[in-house]
Every structure is written in C-alpha cells, then in structure tokens.
Amino acid sequence: MKILLLEDDLILNEIIEEFLQDLGYEVTCVFDGMNASEIIYETHFDLLILDVNVPNMTGFEFLKNLRENNITTPAIFITSLNSVDDIEEGFNSGADDYLKKPFELKELELRINNIKRLLHLDSDEIEITENITFNSKLNYVNNNSIKTKLPLKEAQILKYLVNNANRCISQDELSSNIWTYEGLPTSSTIRTYIKNIRKILGEEYIETIKGVGYRFNKK
C-alpha cells in the first residue's frame, strides 16, 4: 500500500515515515503543496496523509484541486488547526478523516485501518454477493465457483467501481484514478472494458447512467 505524506515539519515527517514503514507501508514524503501536486499525477497512491499549513499550497487547496479533477484517493488531514470551522473546511475539501495535532502514532494507525476497512484497501478478497467474490491481488472473479482471470485494467476498473458502489462514476473519474500516468483512454475503450466485466459478473451489476457514467449496484 502506497502512502503520500505531505508534512513540512522535517522531524515529524521523519517520525511518521519511519512509523508507517515499520507497519509495512511504502511512503513517499513531500514538504510543500506544489511538490505534492507534481508527484500525485506521476504515481498511484492508495492513501494521502496531509498537513494543512505547508508552503506554496495548503493541504486544503491541494486536496480540493484533486477532488475537482476527480482524484478520489482517500485522505487524512493531520493538523494543528482544530476549530470547528477548520474541521468543516477539511471535510468540505474532500477529506475522509481529520486528525488533530498533537496525536499518538497509534491513533494514526487506527484511522488508517478504519479507512482500509471501509474501502477494502488492504483486502485481497472482496465480496460482491454471497456467490460472487473478486480477488483484487490475483485479479480474478469467482462467480458461483467459476474463476475468471481479468486483464489488469478491467480488474482496476472493477475494484474502483466496487469501492465506490452505488455512486455514479464518470468516465473522467475512472480515467483520472486508474490511468494515472499513462495516456488517457478513449470512451470507446472504457465501454469495451465495462462490457467485458459485465460478461463475467452479469449485466445487472454495472448500470450505465446515460450521459453521466456508470454505477456499480451492490446487492
């Protein structure tokens, strides 16, 4: 699991980095908002841990820009800004959690684990229905004991749709979150991937919302 850590306090940055690495995470550290903005489009991350008062671009601005560009990578703010208005701004910017400084590292671990549980970030076997599961590590669907291997992009699309079940996902959002640093796909390419996934799962699971995108209907 890859984590982007945005924290301009050098000592705290190092402490958090070592703690997360000891937990088995791959951590990329940045110290200002502009640097974070550059690297986010070059590498896929599973989680963002963001300070707010950092040079060049605040954490709030950074995350808001990502959300406006359909980047939905889960994010935790770690900040000394602790008023209700600050917390509201953080969640309005698109945060999944908000951790006030100072905090115990164990609490950060608990917050990360909660996000992983909710979004299946660390689970290889994702249950779609009682009879259908998806192994996101080996990229296969088990549908009533029939296992079908998915090509990489189809597996990534399915995982993204499942993790955002019952929400309409536009083609732009899929492109932004899956084709992180490759050339963006055409609409026809995405439609073909969706068609192939439907053949394996069943037509009823992925609904086309005309003129908007797709919705995964979790039973």
Side-chain angles (χ1 to χ4, degrees):
M1 181 170 167
K2 295 183 179 180
I3 296 178
L4 177 66
L5 172 61
L6 171 59
E7 170 59 67
D8 68 329
D9 183 313
L10 299 182
I11 295 176
L12 182 57
N13 191 307
E14 184 176 346
I15 290 172
I16 295 174
E17 179 189 19
E18 290 181 358
F19 177 73
L20 294 175
Q21 288 175 337
D22 288 343
L23 293 175
Y25 298 118
E26 181 180 337
V27 184
T28 297
C29 297
V30 290
F31 303 92
D32 69 78
M34 289 304 297
N35 190 200
S37 293
E38 292 168 358
I39 200 169
I40 194 71
Y41 294 102
E42 299 173 356
T43 305
H44 172 78
F45 293 99
D46 301 295
L47 178 66
L48 311 175
I49 299 177
L50 310 172
D51 189 9
V52 175
N53 287 328
V54 292
N56 298 320
M57 178 188 293
T58 70
F60 289 156
E61 292 169 337
F62 168 69
L63 186 59
K64 187 176 181 180
N65 287 341
L66 293 189
R67 298 307 189 233
E68 288 174 350
N69 284 284
N70 298 315
I71 302 295
T72 62
T73 307
I76 300 173
F77 278 123
I78 51 171
T79 177
S80 57
L81 299 178
N82 56 18
S83 73
V84 173
D85 289 342
D86 294 325
I87 296 171
E88 181 179 24
E89 183 174 0
F91 282 111
N92 286 342
S93 299
D96 296 87
D97 207 341
Y98 194 102
L99 185 55
K100 302 174 187 177
K101 294 179 181 178
F103 56 84
E104 297 288 338
L105 291 172
K106 181 64 177 179
E107 183 177 1
L108 177 60
E109 179 184 2
L110 293 173
R111 303 293 185 102
I112 293 172
N113 288 341
N114 185 56
I115 287 178
K116 286 163 56 177
R117 178 183 61 83
L118 292 173
L119 300 181
H120 310 291
L121 295 183
D122 208 30
S123 174
D124 295 337
E125 200 75 22
I126 300 173
E127 182 178 287
I128 295 175
T129 69
E130 183 178 343
N131 298 314
I132 303 176
T133 58
F134 169 53
N135 189 302
S136 61
K137 183 176 182 179
L138 301 178
N139 295 342
Y140 68 77
V141 170
N142 188 334
N143 189 341
N144 289 293
S145 299
I146 299 175
K147 291 184 178 181
T148 305
K149 178 80 171 181
L150 297 179
L152 178 59
K153 286 304 176 193
E154 290 176 16
Q156 290 174 330
I157 289 172
L158 177 57
K159 183 175 181 179
Y160 192 84
L161 292 175
V162 170
N163 285 343
N164 291 276
N166 303 317
R167 182 170 75 83
C168 186
I169 306 297
S170 69
Q171 290 191 355
D172 285 343
E173 182 173 336
L174 280 176
S175 298
S176 298
N177 285 275
I178 294 174
W179 280 264
T180 309
Y181 45 86
E182 307 123 297
L184 295 179
T186 64
S187 296
S188 176
T189 298
I190 292 178
R191 285 197 299 270
T192 298
Y193 287 141
I194 295 293
K195 180 179 179 181
N196 293 340
I197 297 170
R198 282 173 170 153
K199 288 179 180 178
I200 297 168
L201 290 182
E203 294 286 333
E204 68 272 22
Y205 290 97
I206 302 177
E207 179 183 0
T208 298
I209 310 299
K210 190 173 182 180
V212 182
Y214 303 97
R215 180 171 59 213
F216 187 87
N217 297 313
K218 194 166 185 179
K219 306 299 182 180

